[in-house]
Amino acid sequence: MAVVELKGVAKNYGGAHKNAKAANAVENFNLTTRDGEFIVLVGPSGCGKSTTMRMIAGLEANTDGEIRIDGRDVSQVAARDRDIAMVFQSYALYPHMTVYDNMAFALSLKKVPKNEIEQRVNDAAGILDITHLLDRKPRALSGGQRQRVALGRAIVRDPQVFLMDEPLSNLDAMLRVDMRAEIIKLHRKLGVTTFYVTHDQTEAMTMGERIVVMRDGHIQQIDTPNALYHAPNNVFVAGFIGTPSMNFLKMTLGGDGKTLTGQTAHMVASSERQLIEAHKGRDLMVGVRPEHLILTTDETAANVIKGEIDVVEPLGSVTMVQLEVDGHRITAQLEGDTSVRMGDSIVLTCDSARLHLFDADTEQALPRHEHRTETA
Amino acid sequence: MEQKSSLGLAVIGWLVAIVMFFPILWMVLTALKTEQSAFSMVPEFVFTPTLESFKTALSQNAGYWHYAFNSLFTSVMSTLIGLALAIPAAYAMAFYPSKRTDFTLVWMVSTKFIPAVGVLIPIFLVYKTLGLIDNNWGLIALFVGMNLPIMVWMVYSYFKDVPKDIVEAAEIDGASTLATMFRVILPLALPGLASTGLLALILAWNESFWSLTMADHDAATLAAFIASFKSAEGLFWAKMSAASVMTVAPIIVLGWFAQKQMVRGLTFGAVK
C-alpha cells in the first residue's frame, strides 16, 4: 500500500517521430493518490493512458517530472525494484509454467522460503477460486481463468501498487461484468493502491474512486465518477463520459444572460450558472444528456427542442430516439412504453439545472456557483 | 478441377523426389556391389549384393572409427560452442536492440556471401602459424565461424517471437536479465534452439571443404575418409560408396527422427 505521486510527468519520444503530437505521448501529468485508492485512467486510444501506466511500472522511462511511491522517487529505479505488480491485457502468463509456478515465480525470485510460497499461492488461489487449476498450464485454461491467474500472480506478491492495463478487454461481455465486480471486491479486501487503464467509460465509471480522463497526452479532468458526470470540465469530458453521449447544441446567449436561442431550439439557463458578461450575445455549446430529455406537448415550456424522429431504438426498459435539430444530432432516452414512430414530430424539454454550458471557442465549461470544478 | 491439379502436383512431387533420391539410391546400390560390377560401363541393376565393401571400409587399416569420432567431436563441439555464443548475441539484439542491430544482423549474414576459397590462403597461413592445421579445435573454430551467422539469425528470430508482454511481466515480477533469459525466454524458445542446434550439427557434419584442406590425418573427418578411397591405384567405387553410406547414414537417421522438430523450428513464427 502506498501513496503514488506523479509530478509533471512527461513522455517524449524525441525527434524521431515526424508528428509532434505522437512525439509527446504524455505531458505534464500531475496526480497524487490516496493510500489504497482505485484510480482509473480512461481516454480514447492513443491518449497516453497506457504510456502513463508503463512509466509508473518502469517499463518506460519518463522523460520529465518525477514519480514517487511513498515518497521515494522511482524515476531511475528499474521495474523489478519498484515493488509493483501488473496485470496485462494479454495476461502475459508464462506459457511453459503451471498456474502454481506462474504465481510463485516472483516469490521464488525473491528467495521466499518454499513453504511460505506455498502458503501464499494457496491463499491467493483460494481468494480467486482457482485452487483446482494450480497444476494446469495456461493453454489449458479459458480466457476468464487466465484472467484470474493473471490477477493471482499480481496479488500473491502483496505489492505496493497494482497496475492493470485493460485487463478485461479480452473477455466476453458477460464475464467482463462479473470480473469487474470481482476486481472491485478484491480491491476492497486488499486495499492496495491501484491504477486501472481502460478505454471503456462504463468500466471507468463503475470501478474508479477517481477517474483521470485523458486526451492527446493531456489530463482533461481528474474527478469522482459523479463529478465527471454532473460537472464535466469541457466538451470532451462531457461527451466521453456517459452513454449514450451528451447532446450538444450551438446556441446564442441573449443580452439578459439567461435566454439561449438556437435556430429552432430555445432554452433558459438556470440561475445557478455564473454567466459572465463576456459571453452575452455570444455562441455557447449547450449540452444536455439523453436521459435528461423529456417528451412534452407543451411548446411554450422554457426549454424546447423540436424535431422529427429519424431513428427509434426500443431497448425494452427505455426507448432511444434520434432526431436532427439545428444541424445537430440529438439522442433522447425516453420511457420504454413511449409510443413514438419514425417520422413523428416531437417536442423535448428538460430541467434548466440539467443544462451544461461551454464556451464555444475554448470548449471549457462555464463556471458554476455551487460546484467548484478543479482544473487539472 | 481441384482434383486434377492436386494429382498433377503429386506427380511433379514424386518426380522431384525420385530425381533427388536417385543418387542416394545409386550410392547404396553401388556400395553393395563388387568393385568389378561397380566399375562396369553398363550399369547393372540386377546383381548379387555383397557386404564386402563395407567390411573393407570398416577394417582396421581404413580407420572408419577414427574419422567418425573426429566428425562427431567437431560437429557436436562446434554446435555447442555456436549455441553458447549465438544465444547471448541474439538475446541482446532481440531484447536490447540499438540503432545498429539491423545492420549488424545483415552484416553477419553477409559474411556468408564470401566464397570459402576466397579466404582459404589467409586462414591457412594463420592456422599454420598457430599450429592449428590438422587439429580438431582448428576445425571446430572454423565450423563455429561458418555457422554462427545463421545461428544468431535463427535464434534472434525465435527470441523475437516471444511476446514482449511476457518479457515485461518477468521484469515486473522482479527477474534480472539472466533470470528472464534462463527461466522464461530459453524454455519458450527451446524448440527453436533445438532446430538451430540440429541445423548447425548437420552443416558441420556435412562440411567437406575445410575438413579436407585443413586436416589430413589426426583431425580428419569422414569427408577425408571418403576421399581416401580415391588413391593412386585408382578409384574404388564400391568402397567409396560404402564409406559414403556410413558417413551420411547417422545424419539421415538423426534428421529422420528430428523431422517434426525441424519443420516446427523452421516455420516457428511464420504461422502463429
Side-chain angles (χ1 to χ4, degrees):
Chain A
M1 281 185 273
V3 170
V4 179
E5 288 169 89
L6 295 114
K7 283 188 195 151
V9 170
K11 178 71 190 181
N12 188 308
Y13 284 107
H17 285 257
K18 286 172 204 131
N19 176 339
K21 225 164 83 179
N24 279 321
V26 176
E27 275 183 280
N28 196 28
F29 193 106
N30 292 293
L31 170 70
T32 304
T33 68
R34 281 185 289 105
D35 188 9
E37 197 173 16
F38 198 105
I39 298 277
V40 174
L41 304 177
V42 70
S45 53
C47 71
K49 55 190 190 298
S50 284
T51 308
T52 305
M53 176 169 280
R54 291 172 59 81
M55 285 192 285
I56 301 171
L59 295 172
E60 304 225 14
N62 45 316
T63 47
D64 204 356
E66 53 188 56
I67 299 170
R68 289 180 179 278
I69 298 174
D70 262 352
R72 177 172 80 127
D73 186 355
V74 294
S75 303
Q76 304 300 319
V77 176
R80 62 174 153 276
D81 298 322
R82 289 194 189 188
D83 197 13
I84 277 174
M86 184 157 167
V87 178
F88 291 78
Q89 183 175 359
S90 64
Y91 315 141
L93 301 177
Y94 310 120
H96 58 296
M97 297 184 196
T98 61
V99 168
Y100 182 93
D101 290 336
N102 262 282
M103 290 169 71
F105 186 64
L107 298 178
S108 77
L109 287 168
K110 269 199 265 180
K111 308 251 184 284
V112 174
K114 273 243 164 61
N115 50 352
E116 194 191 328
I117 292 181
E118 200 176 326
Q119 174 77 34
R120 283 166 72 172
V121 171
N122 284 330
D123 286 351
I127 292 173
L128 290 160
D129 198 19
I130 49 173
T131 310
H132 59 296
L133 303 174
L134 286 175
D135 295 332
R136 296 211 200 152
K137 292 270 179 74
R139 66 169 165 275
L141 303 177
S142 69
Q145 290 169 332
R146 285 178 202 186
Q147 176 62 66
R148 281 166 188 276
V149 175
L151 281 172
R153 187 171 66 177
I155 67 174
V156 81
R157 290 180 43 197
D158 191 18
Q160 287 203 300
V161 181
F162 273 142
L163 303 177
M164 304 193 185
D165 191 0
E166 309 218 12
L168 304 184
S169 57
N170 288 346
L171 300 179
D172 61 50
M174 290 276 283
L175 206 50
R176 206 178 304 160
V177 175
D178 290 349
M179 282 308 290
R180 209 158 74 192
E182 205 148 329
I183 290 177
I184 297 169
K185 266 199 294 190
L186 201 61
H187 175 252
R188 286 226 185 89
K189 188 167 189 165
L190 303 171
V192 176
T193 310
T194 304
F195 282 82
Y196 187 102
V197 162
T198 180
H199 61 267
D200 178 352
Q201 62 91 23
T202 315
E203 231 167 83
M205 292 293 275
T206 51
M207 301 179 81
E209 287 174 52
R210 274 197 298 165
I211 299 172
V212 181
V213 184
M214 294 183 73
R215 181 199 196 187
D216 294 342
H218 291 269
I219 294 178
Q220 303 294 305
Q221 189 166 356
I222 303 179
D223 244 319
T224 61
N226 257 324
L228 286 179
Y229 180 83
H230 291 292
N233 269 353
N234 57 35
V235 171
F236 175 77
V237 176
F240 191 77
I241 299 293
T243 34
S245 292
M246 188 187 279
N247 298 302
F248 294 103
L249 285 162
K250 197 171 237 180
M251 302 178 100
T252 313
L253 183 64
D256 62 353
K258 279 181 85 173
T259 53
L260 295 154
T261 343
Q263 284 161 20
T264 61
H266 58 85
M267 293 180 180
V268 179
S270 74
S271 55
E272 76 183 48
R273 299 291 172 161
Q274 192 182 43
L275 297 176
I276 36 180
E277 282 297 311
H279 286 95
K280 284 183 183 168
R282 287 184 54 191
D283 282 349
L284 294 181
M285 288 293 272
V286 178
V288 57
R289 296 197 182 276
E291 54 271 38
H292 296 148
L293 288 170
I294 308 156
L295 197 59
T296 181
T297 47
D298 180 12
E299 289 195 35
T300 62
N303 304 314
V304 167
I305 298 172
K306 282 187 289 189
E308 193 176 283
I309 297 176
D310 54 16
V311 178
V312 179
E313 296 172 320
L315 299 176
S317 62
V318 293
T319 297
M320 311 296 298
V321 298
Q322 289 186 25
L323 40 155
E324 187 98 5
V325 178
D326 300 354
H328 299 277
R329 182 126 292 263
I330 299 294
T331 307
Q333 178 175 316
L334 306 177
E335 296 289 328
D337 51 8
T338 316
S339 55
V340 286
R341 277 176 303 167
M342 240 163 60
D344 285 358
S345 282
I346 56 163
V347 181
L348 296 166
T349 186
C350 70
D351 191 336
S352 287
R354 299 296 198 183
L355 295 179
H356 298 263
L357 303 180
F358 305 93
D359 185 304
D361 297 325
T362 63
E363 300 202 337
Q364 295 298 310
L366 301 193
R368 287 160 181 258
H369 280 310
E370 90 272 57
H371 288 284
R372 195 173 305 126
T373 45
E374 300 156 34
T375 326
Chain B
M1 192 55 205
E2 204 175 287
Q3 261 189 335
K4 225 179 191 176
S5 69
S6 73
L7 184 75
L9 277 179
V11 169
I12 294 172
W14 276 103
L15 279 177
V16 171
I18 288 167
V19 168
M20 289 177 76
F21 180 68
F22 185 76
I24 297 171
L25 175 74
W26 197 246
M27 175 179 81
V28 174
L29 289 178
T30 310
L32 296 168
K33 291 175 184 174
T34 59
E35 282 302 342
Q36 287 84 344
S37 86
F39 206 68
S40 138
M41 286 312 281
V42 187
E44 287 178 25
F45 282 94
V46 184
F47 58 93
T48 326
T50 163
L51 289 175
E52 206 49 49
S53 303
F54 284 96
K55 271 183 205 151
T56 321
L58 278 171
S59 68
Q60 203 60 47
N61 49 11
Y64 173 78
W65 297 111
H66 166 75
Y67 296 107
F69 171 80
N70 282 340
S71 271
L72 190 68
F73 183 71
T74 50
S75 44
V76 168
M77 285 312 287
S78 68
T79 300
L80 292 180
I81 294 171
L83 280 174
L85 293 173
I87 288 170
Y91 190 88
M93 287 195 254
F95 297 112
Y96 305 96
S98 74
K99 271 186 281 183
R100 288 177 197 81
T101 297
D102 284 345
F103 173 80
T104 312
L105 271 169
V106 173
W107 173 78
M108 286 186 74
V109 173
S110 74
T111 60
K112 298 292 292 175
F113 301 161
I114 307 170
V117 195
V119 290
L120 175 61
I121 302 298
I123 288 184
F124 187 86
L125 293 176
V126 169
Y127 266 46
K128 206 175 158 197
T129 316
L130 296 176
L132 284 172
I133 306 274
D134 204 13
N135 178 312
N136 278 329
W137 292 103
L139 276 186
I140 288 168
L142 278 170
F143 292 168
V144 169
M146 170 182 90
N147 287 337
L148 202 54
I150 300 170
M151 295 175 82
V152 170
W153 189 284
M154 278 178 78
V155 176
Y156 170 81
S157 67
Y158 298 126
F159 283 169
K160 281 298 241 191
D161 281 335
V162 175
K164 203 168 132 249
D165 280 359
I166 291 180
V167 182
E168 290 182 344
E171 202 181 331
I172 286 183
D173 267 348
S176 62
T177 306
L178 278 181
T180 309
M181 179 157 127
F182 282 106
R183 296 182 60 174
V184 178
I185 312 281
L186 291 189
L188 285 177
L190 203 60
L193 296 179
S195 59
T196 306
L198 208 57
L199 186 75
L201 192 73
I202 290 171
L203 288 176
W205 181 278
N206 291 349
E207 210 288 325
S208 62
F209 178 78
W210 295 107
S211 312
L212 290 173
T213 46
M214 293 304 203
D216 57 11
H217 182 262
D218 289 355
T221 64
L222 285 168
F225 174 63
I226 298 174
S228 70
F229 290 95
K230 190 187 97 183
S231 67
E233 299 104 74
L235 285 167
F236 299 97
W237 287 120
K239 290 183 196 71
M240 207 174 194
S241 295
S244 301
V245 169
M246 288 192 292
T247 302
V248 299
I251 214 76
I252 286 180
V253 171
L254 182 70
W256 194 275
F257 281 116
Q259 207 174 28
K260 225 171 157 181
Q261 190 67 263
M262 282 284 282
V263 171
R264 187 171 159 209
L266 291 173
T267 57
F268 183 63
V271 271
K272 252 215 167 123

